[in-house]
Amino acid sequence: MSLKLELDFQYTASIEKVWSALTDPVKLAKWILANDFKPLVGHRFHFQAEPNEWWDGLIEGEVLIVDEPNLLSYTWASAGEQHTVTWTLQVLADGKVNLHLDQTGFSNPQGLEGAKYGWSAWCGQLEKALD
């Protein structure tokens, strides 16, 4: 059985700025991790965290969908699991941008809870990349 994580975040910024924070490697490094991401379908990329005794710190992915500025999807593989991360951006009636995250492919509830914690913390940092 595969588990799914869904989260929503709202930002007071233009949809273009939020899109840029999701796709520009320099901005991604400000709120996620150092990376070699490019918003090109088929591009293989890495995020690199500080390794520790339980994890090599490496996250590998491949860009699956780029529909600027509304939809971005990529694989997200680490620690023996591969997930699919899909971001959907939408301008709300109040002018804020809703950033919706779908992450599928979790094999256990612990992984899902860890991702929920991680994305919540990272998306709290995303505001810094919107300047």
Side-chain angles (χ1 to χ4, degrees):
M1 183 172 105
S2 175
L3 301 172
K4 178 179 180 177
L5 174 65
E6 291 187 77
L7 295 171
D8 285 280
F9 306 92
Q10 283 82 44
Y11 299 98
T12 305
S14 68
I15 196 168
E16 290 80 12
K17 281 191 173 185
V18 178
W19 176 262
S20 180
L22 287 175
T23 57
D24 180 296
V26 174
K27 292 177 182 174
L28 280 167
K30 289 182 180 178
W31 68 279
I32 298 182
L33 298 167
N35 66 88
D36 59 354
F37 186 86
K38 293 180 184 174
L40 301 170
V41 173
H43 175 67
R44 294 183 177 274
F45 60 94
H46 301 87
F47 283 97
Q48 182 65 56
E50 192 69 33
N52 60 43
E53 64 184 289
W54 302 283
W55 180 46
D56 64 5
L58 185 62
I59 299 164
E60 298 177 299
E62 180 179 353
V63 178
L64 302 174
I65 301 170
V66 178
D67 183 9
E68 183 178 352
N70 300 105
L71 182 66
L72 176 67
S73 183
Y74 46 77
T75 61
W76 180 270
S78 182
E81 288 215 6
Q82 180 168 313
H83 303 159
T84 299
V85 172
T86 302
W87 298 102
T88 306
L89 293 80
Q90 179 182 23
V91 178
L92 302 174
D94 64 3
K96 292 182 179 177
V97 173
N98 187 70
L99 180 60
H100 178 81
L101 167 69
D102 277 314
Q103 186 169 356
T104 60
F106 293 95
S107 65
N108 62 71
Q110 294 80 14
L112 186 137
E113 286 303 313
K116 183 177 181 180
Y117 175 81
W119 284 119
S120 295
W122 281 338
C123 287
Q125 298 296 314
L126 191 150
E127 200 79 45
K128 294 178 182 175
L130 297 176
D131 296 331

